[in-house]
Amino acid sequence: MASSLSICRSCLARSAPSTLLRFAPSTSTPRLRLLPATYAPLTLSPCFSTTPKPLAGGGAINRAKARTSKQVKKKKVKTHFKIWNHADSPKFALMDAIRYIRAFEVGNDQRQMKYDLAIKIHTLKNGPTVKSRIQLPKAVKTDVRICVFAEGKQAEAARQAGAVAVGSTELLEEIKNGADLNYDRIICHTNFFPTLQKANLGRVLGPKGLMPSPKTGTVVGDVSTAIQAMIGASEYRERQGVVRIAIAQLSFTPEEVRDNVKAFVEQFGKDLARIEDFDKRINEVVLSSTNSPAFSLSGEFRSDVGKIPEVSEAAAAEAEAAIINSPIQVDEAAGAEKMVAL
Amino acid sequence: MPSPTARYRWLRAQLHSIRNGTGAAVLPPNISRLALSFNYKTANGHMGAKKFFRECLPRLKYHNPNVDMPVTRSNATEGPATMTVHFFDPEAFEKLSQAKKKTQAQVQPETVSTVEINMLNRFSEDIMKELIEKTSATVYSEPPRSAELEEEAAYLAKKREGELAEKYKLQRAGRKRVTNELEAQADILSSIQSQSS
């Protein structure tokens, strides 16, 4: 009896690992079938039959008729943005991706060109989306022009924090008389806000979206911290199941890029976790730049294939471990796969 | 975001072409800088320089990631097209950078000597050949790809070419439309002026 037991080959093939562990069949109970090994030839159609057959070539017409007579089957509505199984496609260590990207970007202005990071998420189409801002360890866009209305000590602090123009009543007069408004943001200190309101500058500043108001967080008690937050911060939001952000300038060193990527992925993981009741997971992290193709990241800093490990870079190795760990907290399924791959 | 398969097929061909071909050479370790300077316009013998910049320089940069490769292009229609190779002393540079490590100041390698290569009225292959001769660089080569991959790359390149041709056609049509509109406006204006006078 035991000799006639056989394992179905198709079932074995299906239980191969997949990145979408949620949909993968469970591997814990292998499926056995009580079928003889000589079962396959028996499934072939018999040479003759006693039941009458429809005429040859009529099959398609019959099917079409059947479809019109019955109710038309509704197309399945997709609730989630499409995600792909990218387990077989190659992944790049950050250093390798950077080496290729720099080759593609040779001869371009290193300050204008940016590394772009795109994160593909497994998410509902109509659920809540992520929208936030982050203070990267090394800011990408630092030339934000800020104007500050403040007096006394706060004015000095603003000047030190990097505001382009600082002033009080005399600055108000200037703007009223039609001075050039070459600013990206205008901040006002809380003590000075009543005078600003009396000055009726809403007509001048309002259309440009520069009018300070407590709602937008531009009327503040501590001017210098507000400026620092504004200079380095970059905003990101989820669109069509993907989050894109300019993560670094091309002139940054690989270590600076790594720190920025790590900080962003960590914060983004927290953002996803904050949205309760909805299952959102990171599917893929892709690095590209202004003029280069996109590289799917493996989570390593450098690939050590064919290289002698350096002792002096123990600190770098620690950071590498951290960057590998960060996606695992967010996406257990992909993380487990990565651990297996490593 | 396109699917990983579609993305990777194109990427595989791109990465192979950046690793191989004219320009794939490893420069000796005593070169710090490779500076190109030529015109934006390709007239008067600047075409070869442009081709070198577009085709060979990315490959050189891939195989020599530590070499600085600045490109300066001028708006002139005539003038020289040159490449300057800067040599430096690696040992002295290492000593200097180790000494300055405590202060964490960025150290630029000091140029010991330079070699100039004229790129005017020359093909990019010729320029590359002279660069390899003058710097004694080693040419990089990979074992050839499988026939399947070769075919795929050729197909993708042809497809890309078609797409670009279509894009440029649309751009040209757009430019023509704009100029026609402007001319029509100018005609109307001149007719009004002649009537009033």
Side-chain angles (χ1 to χ4, degrees):
Chain A
M1 188 65 198
S3 61
S4 65
L5 264 179
S6 76
I7 297 164
C8 175
R9 282 181 173 237
S10 62
C11 294
L12 265 183
R14 269 166 62 198
S15 61
S18 135
T19 42
L20 314 172
L21 274 190
R22 165 172 267 236
F23 307 114
S26 60
T27 50
S28 55
T29 53
R31 295 178 190 183
L32 296 173
R33 275 193 189 173
L34 285 165
L35 286 174
T38 54
Y39 180 71
L42 289 178
T43 55
L44 292 170
S45 57
C47 305
F48 63 90
S49 136
T50 49
T51 50
K53 269 185 183 176
L55 284 169
I61 301 160
N62 285 348
R63 232 173 277 143
K65 270 185 186 172
R67 200 171 286 165
T68 48
S69 64
K70 283 178 195 170
Q71 272 191 339
V72 179
K73 219 178 183 182
K74 267 193 177 177
K75 208 181 173 187
K76 211 177 174 184
V77 182
K78 282 171 185 166
T79 52
H80 287 71
F81 284 110
K82 191 174 181 183
I83 54 165
W84 291 274
N85 183 352
H86 53 83
D88 297 335
S89 58
K91 304 280 182 297
F92 293 82
L94 190 68
M95 286 285 274
D96 297 350
I98 284 177
R99 187 176 172 189
Y100 275 120
I101 286 173
R102 290 203 156 186
F104 279 109
E105 293 275 4
V106 69
N108 293 334
D109 186 0
Q110 296 225 324
R111 285 195 178 171
Q112 278 183 20
M113 301 301 145
K114 305 276 195 297
Y115 289 107
D116 295 322
L117 198 76
I119 299 187
K120 176 90 183 144
I121 326 165
H122 172 67
T123 175
L124 270 177
K125 278 186 176 179
N126 56 358
T129 55
V130 177
K131 189 189 171 192
S132 180
R133 61 163 61 177
I134 185 176
Q135 187 88 34
L136 290 169
K138 185 159 184 186
V140 180
K141 194 173 189 291
T142 49
D143 53 347
V144 183
R145 292 175 65 86
I146 298 174
C147 170
V148 179
F149 288 111
E151 288 171 321
K153 270 189 184 178
Q154 287 291 334
E156 230 169 74
R159 228 169 257 135
Q160 279 182 357
V164 177
V166 183
S168 50
T169 42
E170 76 279 359
L171 196 62
L172 279 180
E173 288 299 315
E174 265 181 40
I175 291 172
K176 253 189 187 175
N177 297 334
D180 192 17
L181 279 174
N182 192 13
Y183 313 119
D184 296 324
R185 309 269 169 80
I186 294 182
I187 296 177
C188 183
H189 189 243
T190 32
N191 293 351
F192 194 73
F193 191 52
T195 20
L196 185 75
Q197 280 176 317
K198 276 174 201 162
N200 276 335
L201 277 179
R203 275 195 180 178
V204 187
L205 301 179
K208 295 190 173 180
L210 290 172
M211 185 68 192
S213 94
K215 266 187 192 174
T216 52
T218 41
V219 177
V220 286
D222 191 355
V223 176
S224 61
T225 48
I227 289 172
Q228 276 163 9
M230 261 179 201
I231 283 179
S234 43
E235 291 182 355
Y236 59 90
R237 67 187 302 180
E238 176 192 333
R239 285 196 181 92
Q240 301 285 307
V242 185
V243 176
R244 295 183 179 85
I245 190 176
I247 203 75
Q249 285 178 15
L250 211 74
S251 55
F252 289 6
T253 62
E255 283 76 20
E256 286 163 353
V257 179
R258 176 196 64 197
D259 292 344
N260 277 6
V261 169
K262 197 179 137 196
F264 176 63
V265 172
E266 263 176 18
Q267 190 187 316
F268 184 65
K270 280 174 195 163
D271 287 340
L272 289 185
R274 210 172 290 139
I275 298 172
E276 287 165 2
D277 307 331
F278 288 92
D279 183 23
K280 277 176 170 254
R281 280 168 288 139
I282 291 178
N283 176 247
E284 196 183 4
V285 181
V286 177
L287 184 78
S288 70
S289 81
T290 313
N291 294 312
S292 88
F295 296 85
S296 190
L297 293 184
S298 67
E300 295 165 300
F301 180 54
R302 75 183 75 194
S303 59
D304 286 326
V305 183
K307 279 177 194 168
I308 306 151
E310 287 169 62
V311 186
S312 61
E313 300 211 343
E318 268 176 35
E320 276 166 43
I323 206 172
I324 292 164
N325 286 334
S326 58
I328 291 170
Q329 294 163 0
V330 183
D331 190 2
E332 290 184 3
E337 285 256 322
K338 266 173 199 167
M339 289 301 279
V340 171
L342 288 168
Chain B
M1 201 181 263
S3 84
T5 330
R7 240 186 296 148
Y8 182 55
R9 275 176 80 207
W10 177 236
L11 182 67
R12 183 162 52 188
Q14 286 256 291
L15 296 192
H16 185 270
S17 82
I18 213 167
R19 274 183 271 118
N20 301 282
T22 43
V26 183
L27 297 171
N30 62 342
I31 290 175
S32 65
R33 204 173 152 86
L34 209 69
L36 307 189
S37 81
F38 54 99
N39 292 348
Y40 278 107
K41 298 247 171 169
T42 54
N44 298 325
H46 286 251
M47 191 65 190
K50 186 186 166 184
K51 285 275 171 194
F52 180 84
F53 165 49
R54 289 282 177 227
E55 287 169 11
C56 304
L57 206 64
R59 290 175 186 143
L60 272 169
K61 182 69 184 174
Y62 175 73
H63 290 289
N64 311 282
N66 294 328
V67 178
D68 196 14
M69 294 181 185
V71 177
T72 45
R73 299 180 73 171
S74 68
N75 285 317
T77 47
E78 280 177 22
T82 53
M83 170 162 52
T84 322
V85 186
H86 294 251
F87 292 90
F88 77 114
D89 189 4
E91 286 176 14
F93 174 64
E94 203 154 280
K95 272 181 195 169
L96 194 74
S97 58
Q98 278 197 346
K100 291 236 175 141
K101 215 171 189 179
K102 285 163 196 168
T103 55
Q104 293 201 334
Q106 282 264 322
V107 198
Q108 291 293 327
E110 203 176 306
T111 312
V112 179
S113 62
T114 57
V115 166
E116 288 238 335
I117 294 171
N118 183 21
M119 297 197 291
L120 206 65
N121 288 318
R122 293 178 75 184
F123 285 110
S124 55
E125 289 88 354
D126 285 357
I127 301 165
M128 193 60 216
K129 210 180 263 176
E130 194 181 334
L131 179 72
I132 289 172
E133 273 171 21
K134 284 194 172 171
T135 59
S136 66
T138 48
V139 178
Y140 172 86
S141 67
E142 251 174 42
R145 284 184 285 188
S146 67
E148 257 177 52
L149 285 180
E150 248 352 297
E151 232 167 65
E152 188 187 280
Y155 164 73
L156 286 172
K158 206 177 171 188
K159 198 178 151 195
R160 177 88 169 176
E161 209 173 285
E163 282 167 6
L164 284 179
E166 193 77 1
K167 187 182 153 193
Y168 295 146
K169 207 173 152 188
L170 284 174
Q171 280 179 356
R172 249 179 278 138
R175 275 202 297 270
K176 208 172 179 183
R177 202 178 57 234
V178 169
T179 47
N180 284 348
E181 277 171 14
L182 285 175
E183 275 172 15
Q185 279 177 7
D187 282 350
I188 292 164
L189 274 177
S190 60
S191 64
I192 289 167
Q193 277 174 356
S194 60
Q195 276 174 11
S196 62
S197 64

